[in-house]
């Protein structure tokens, strides 16, 4: 057991030494490596000297950027890798009902590399300025018509500086004869608005579509329910996130962030206000009858105020049992003029009036229970009952809460296919932001999920892979130990020491002897003995036998009595014994002295 404890202490000391050396190396940037290696034993040093020089760790895998290429039919695609705004139109419009200083859409857009990019050559559209109106748009290769195929819109956003207040949503501009991208502004008709938006602590992910009333021809915005997922991280972590909207012909929709569904529903059931109005509405001309009684309870008309009810009794009265504390300073005011205050030099009594020193707490009151005129504290009046009111009883004439009668809704319609929205022919960004450098990239509008997924893999997926490659993992950290070989001692001890201690303390213990190994004698015996102790005991028994024989020869009476007892014991010993007793009694120590 002492050896086990010695091994335990040795390993613990080595582990502590290695960990301390690791910390010292981190603090001194490798200056103390030689001192730590000198503390290792000579055998380890010889082995290390015989090894070939450790090679430097391989460089971090480099992800090479390749512009994504759509793998199927698309209506719009843009990766900005040409480095220009070709195909995009900057708005020169002005907002209505806004001051001229901020009414212009004069916010700047540029194609740039992302800050701290891990993919040189991967460019995107950047909203450069802050506190300005920005508007830019581009035509689709052909208008999108809602028929039998899904709509998928997908793009990337990176809030490189975080976001205080502003949006990063896109608008799918409706196909109309009046559409002029040069005059794109907030009132330009759109079919769908989709994307992130934030102001204050309100984090949103918009999905809004404009539905046309088939009876009146007017458009009304329909907003998807708010997602249950926590969106804050997407606005604050300064990473590139992928936003996807999937709209299906069966009216179902899905909203995904980084290819994970964060919201889903149906255009018929999960929009506000609902797409279809109610079949019935309240009659606006209906009026409540004058005798309609909406009171569920009324005062009991038969109740009478008790004669002893005193409505004039005060709610609070002075405590007659209170006693003024000793030391109360009746003649001292609570506040006194500040004796150290001085009238300002520029004080004009004609203009400012007579100067008075400011009031401060009376210092004499600090050590006293109180100052000024003492008054008894107020307590609740036990006789107070307040103004008497008759108890309330059920109203036998109660008719319930009146509601106008229902009539058929003259504006009712039922559109069971809200998916069939107004076709759109352009995509635009019309934004106001208090934060600059919002990065947009890899827009795609298509009808096939696989095409969108391939585009995401070649764009956003490549960014994610590059970010992951730039962050060293556990393997990378162990590879770096090649420059400092002694770090392997830390890694090995970190794994081996706990395992060794578990084996040492859980698998080691005393082996319990079997029942056959115990000696069955009249005198108490040790439970466990090794062979050497048994041999020494046997020798002692032989000497004891000789001493007994001499004693028996000198004392006849005692000898004869002993002989009788020995003969009786000999007869018992001659009886058949079980196999177990025969095995146990083979030891010479168990043999009884016999007289020849």
């Amino acid at each position: 057991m002492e050896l086990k404890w010695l091994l335990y202490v040795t390993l613990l000391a080595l582990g502590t030494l290695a960990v301390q050396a690791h910390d010292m190396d981190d603090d001194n940037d490798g200056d103390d490596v030689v001192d730590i290696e000198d503390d290792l034993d000579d055998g380890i040093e010889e082995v290390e000297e015989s090894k070939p020089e450790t090679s430097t760790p391989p460089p971090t895998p480099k992800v090479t950027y390749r512009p994504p290429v759509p793998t199927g039919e698309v209506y719009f695609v843009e990766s900005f890798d040409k480095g220009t705004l070709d195909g995009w139109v900057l708005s020169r419009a002005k907002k209505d009902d806004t001051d001229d200083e901020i009414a212009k859409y004069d916010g700047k857009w540029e194609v740039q590399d992302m800050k701290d990019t891990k993919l040189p050559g991967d460019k995107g559209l950047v909203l450069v300025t802050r506190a300005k109106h920005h508007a830019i748009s581009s035509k689709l290769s052909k208008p999108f018509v809602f028929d039998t195929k899904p709509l998928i819109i997908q793009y990337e956003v990176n809030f490189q500086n975080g976001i205080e207040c502003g949006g990063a949503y896109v608008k799918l501009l409706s196909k109309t004869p009046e559409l002029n991208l040069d005059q794109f502004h907030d009132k330009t008709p759109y079919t769908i608005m989709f994307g992130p938006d934030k102001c204050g602590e309100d984090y949103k992910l918009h999905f809004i579509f404009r539905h046309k009333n088939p009876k009146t021809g007017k458009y009304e915005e329909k907003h998807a329910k708010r997602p249950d997922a926590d969106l804050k991280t997407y606005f604050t972590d300064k990473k590139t996130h992928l936003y996807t909207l999937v709209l299906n012909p069966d009216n179902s929709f899905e909203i995904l962030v980084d290819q994970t569904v964060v919201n889903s529903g149906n255009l018929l059931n999960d929009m506000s206000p609902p797409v279809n109005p109610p079949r019935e509405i309240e009659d606006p001309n209906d009026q409540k009858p004058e005798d309609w009684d909406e009171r569920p309870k009324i005062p009991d008309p038969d109740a009478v105020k008790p004669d002893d009810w005193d409505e004039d009794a005060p709610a609070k009265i002075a405590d007659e049992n209170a006693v003024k504390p000793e030391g109360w300073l009746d003649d001292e005011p609570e506040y006194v003029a500040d004796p150290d205050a001085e009238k300002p030099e520029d004080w004009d009594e004609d203009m400012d009036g007579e100067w008075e020193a400011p009031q401060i707490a009376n210092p004499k009151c600090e050590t006293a229970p109180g100052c000024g005129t003492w008054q008894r504290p107020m307590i609740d009046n036990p006789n107070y009952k307040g103004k008497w009111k008759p108890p309330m009883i059920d109203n036998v004439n109660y008719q319930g809460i009146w509601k106008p009668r229902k009539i058929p809704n003259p504006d009712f319609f039922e559109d069971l296919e809200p998916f069939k929205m107004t076709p759109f022919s352009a995509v635009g960004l019309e934004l106001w932001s208090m934060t600059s450098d919002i990065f947009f990239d890899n827009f795609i509008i298509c009808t096939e999920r696989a095409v969108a997924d391939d585009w995401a893999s070649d764009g956003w997926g490549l960014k994610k892979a590059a970010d992951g490659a730039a962050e060293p993992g556990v393997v990378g950290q162990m590879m770096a130990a090649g420059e400092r070989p002694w770090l392997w001692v830390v890694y090995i001890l970190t794994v081996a020491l706990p395992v060794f201690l578990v084996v040492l303390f859980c698998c080691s213990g005393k082996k319990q002897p079997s029942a056959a190994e115990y000696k069955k004698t009249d005198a108490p015996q040790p439970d466990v003995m090794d062979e050497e102790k048994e041999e020494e005991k046997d020798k002692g028994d032989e000497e004891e036998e000789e001493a007994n024989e001499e004693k028996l020869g000198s004392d006849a009476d005692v000898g004869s009595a002993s002989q009788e007892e020995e003969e009786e014991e000999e007869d018992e010993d001659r009886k058949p014994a079980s196999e177990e007793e025969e095995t146990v009694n083979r030891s010479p120590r168990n043999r009884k002295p016999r007289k020849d």
Side-chain angles (χ1 to χ4, degrees):
M1 193 64 183
E2 294 178 357
L3 179 60
K4 294 177 181 178
W5 277 105
L6 181 60
L7 289 173
Y8 168 73
V9 173
T10 303
L11 284 173
L12 186 59
L14 285 174
T16 303
L17 177 64
V19 172
Q20 289 178 349
H22 180 255
D23 294 339
M24 292 171 61
D25 179 80
D26 290 340
D27 294 338
N28 301 325
D29 296 332
D31 293 341
D32 297 333
V33 174
V34 176
D35 295 336
I36 296 171
E37 290 181 348
D38 291 342
D39 292 338
L40 302 177
D41 57 27
D42 296 336
I44 295 178
E45 289 182 356
E46 291 177 1
V47 172
E48 290 179 349
E49 290 175 0
S50 63
K51 290 181 180 179
E53 216 176 276
T54 306
S55 59
T56 58
T60 303
K62 184 176 181 181
V63 180
T64 303
Y65 176 71
R66 295 186 303 273
V69 177
T71 57
E73 181 183 8
V74 295
Y75 288 79
F76 181 81
V77 68
E78 180 62 83
S79 64
F80 302 100
D81 292 321
K82 295 180 181 179
T84 65
L85 288 174
D86 290 348
W88 290 83
V89 179
L90 294 171
S91 176
R92 295 187 291 109
K94 289 185 179 182
K95 291 194 70 170
D96 296 334
D97 303 327
T98 307
D99 294 339
D100 291 338
E101 296 180 358
I102 60 173
K104 294 181 180 179
Y105 283 89
D106 55 354
K108 292 184 179 180
W109 299 89
E110 292 183 5
V111 176
Q112 301 176 354
D113 286 344
M114 186 166 51
K115 292 180 179 179
D116 303 323
T117 182
K118 308 299 186 301
L119 283 175
D122 181 14
K123 300 182 181 299
L125 178 64
V126 179
L127 183 149
V128 178
T129 49
R130 62 182 297 274
K132 288 183 177 293
H133 293 289
H134 306 75
I136 192 171
S137 56
S138 181
K139 283 279 190 180
L140 274 60
S141 59
K142 59 181 178 179
F144 185 94
V145 179
F146 294 88
D147 46 23
T148 59
K149 294 183 178 180
L151 167 66
I152 301 174
I153 175 171
Q154 181 174 274
Y155 68 107
E156 302 169 15
V157 177
N158 187 316
F159 297 105
Q160 300 182 94
N161 297 332
I163 183 71
E164 295 179 12
C165 184
Y169 43 81
V170 299
K171 290 183 177 180
L172 306 182
L173 305 181
S174 301
K175 179 186 177 184
T176 62
E178 299 81 14
L179 180 60
N180 181 4
L181 300 186
D182 185 64
Q183 295 298 313
F184 173 36
H185 56 91
D186 59 326
K187 299 295 190 342
T188 301
Y190 68 89
T191 299
I192 290 176
M193 189 176 91
F194 167 67
D197 187 18
K198 183 251 183 181
C199 200
E201 290 301 315
D202 189 12
Y203 301 89
K204 298 179 181 179
L205 183 52
H206 291 297
F207 165 41
I208 306 171
F209 78 94
R210 295 172 72 245
H211 180 261
K212 184 178 180 180
N213 187 315
K215 296 190 71 172
T216 64
K218 294 182 178 180
Y219 285 88
E220 185 178 23
E221 290 185 350
K222 309 295 182 181
H223 296 248
K225 63 181 181 181
R226 293 180 70 100
D228 296 330
D230 184 7
L231 306 176
K232 183 176 181 179
T233 303
Y234 306 131
F235 294 84
T236 59
D237 62 3
K238 299 183 181 180
K239 293 183 179 180
T240 302
H241 294 288
L242 182 72
Y243 295 89
T244 308
L245 170 65
V246 180
L247 198 54
N248 298 306
D250 63 357
N251 299 320
S252 63
F253 67 86
E254 285 184 334
I255 298 174
L256 302 90
V257 180
D258 298 341
Q259 298 183 322
T260 299
V261 176
V262 297
N263 198 4
S264 62
N266 191 285
L267 299 179
L268 289 173
N269 305 320
D270 300 300
M271 307 302 291
S272 179
V275 170
N276 295 315
R279 291 180 178 273
E280 293 183 331
I281 61 172
E282 294 180 349
D283 185 358
N285 299 319
D286 193 13
Q287 295 182 354
K288 182 174 70 173
E290 294 181 359
D291 60 349
W292 188 276
D293 196 341
E294 294 182 328
R295 301 173 300 165
K297 298 279 186 180
I298 59 173
D300 185 358
D302 300 326
V304 179
K305 182 177 72 170
D307 294 336
D308 60 349
W309 191 284
D310 186 2
E311 293 184 345
D312 299 327
K316 296 283 186 179
I317 59 174
D319 185 2
E320 297 297 333
N321 297 323
V323 179
K324 181 173 68 174
E326 294 184 3
W328 188 280
L329 304 179
D330 295 86
D331 299 330
E332 291 291 338
E334 294 185 26
Y335 295 93
V336 296
D338 186 358
D340 299 327
E342 295 181 359
K343 184 174 68 172
E345 295 180 358
D346 58 350
W347 187 274
D348 187 348
E349 293 190 355
D350 294 334
M351 297 292 295
D352 303 324
E354 184 180 356
W355 180 82
E356 294 180 358
Q359 298 287 302
I360 62 172
N362 190 341
K364 295 181 180 180
C365 300
E366 293 180 358
T367 57
C371 294
T373 303
W374 180 79
Q375 295 179 349
R376 297 180 185 276
M378 303 298 288
I379 60 174
D380 292 335
N381 184 359
N383 299 319
Y384 173 74
K385 296 183 178 180
K387 186 174 179 61
W388 181 84
K389 295 179 180 179
M392 303 297 288
I393 61 173
D394 292 335
N395 183 4
V396 296
N397 298 319
Y398 176 65
Q399 295 175 274
I401 303 300
W402 181 85
K403 294 181 180 180
R405 64 174 176 266
K406 295 285 188 178
I407 61 172
N409 185 357
D411 298 324
F412 173 75
F413 64 85
E414 189 173 34
D415 181 1
L416 299 179
E417 295 180 318
F419 170 78
K420 295 184 176 180
M421 305 175 189
T422 304
F424 61 91
S425 59
V427 58
L429 298 166
E430 187 268 317
L431 306 170
W432 165 273
S433 177
M434 294 301 296
T435 307
S436 62
D437 296 328
I438 302 177
F439 183 90
F440 300 85
D441 199 6
N442 294 330
F443 289 85
I444 187 172
I445 298 175
C446 60
T447 59
E448 298 180 35
R449 190 71 172 264
V451 174
D453 290 344
D454 291 343
W455 180 262
S457 177
D458 294 341
W460 174 78
L462 207 59
K463 288 186 178 72
K464 186 177 180 182
D467 291 340
E471 297 177 359
V474 176
V475 176
Q477 294 175 2
M478 296 185 68
M479 297 280 295
E483 299 176 356
R484 295 170 288 179
W486 61 268
L487 280 178
W488 285 101
V489 178
V490 177
Y491 296 139
I492 293 173
L493 286 178
T494 301
V495 177
L497 184 60
V499 175
F500 176 79
L501 292 178
V502 171
V503 174
L504 179 66
F505 288 99
C506 294
C507 300
S508 62
K510 293 182 179 180
K511 182 179 179 182
Q512 299 296 332
S514 62
E517 294 176 346
Y518 289 98
K519 307 294 188 275
K520 293 185 178 180
T521 61
D522 295 335
Q525 299 292 332
D527 291 338
V528 181
M529 289 186 177
D530 55 23
E531 294 181 357
E532 294 181 358
K533 290 184 178 181
E534 289 183 358
E535 291 178 359
E536 292 177 0
K537 193 69 177 180
D538 291 340
K539 292 180 181 181
D541 291 341
E542 293 176 359
E543 293 176 357
E544 185 178 354
E545 289 178 3
E546 294 176 0
N548 289 337
E549 290 176 357
E550 293 177 358
K551 185 176 181 180
L552 289 172
S554 61
D555 194 347
D557 294 336
V558 177
S560 60
S562 301
Q563 181 176 1
E564 292 176 0
E565 293 177 358
E566 290 174 357
E567 288 176 355
E568 291 177 358
E569 292 176 357
E570 181 179 355
D571 293 337
E572 292 177 358
D573 292 339
R574 290 176 180 176
K575 293 180 181 181
S578 64
E579 295 181 0
E580 179 180 355
E581 293 176 341
E582 290 177 359
T583 303
V584 174
N585 292 328
R586 287 176 183 174
S587 173
R589 185 168 53 83
N590 287 336
R591 296 173 184 172
K592 304 294 182 179
R594 298 180 61 185
K595 184 177 179 181
D596 294 336

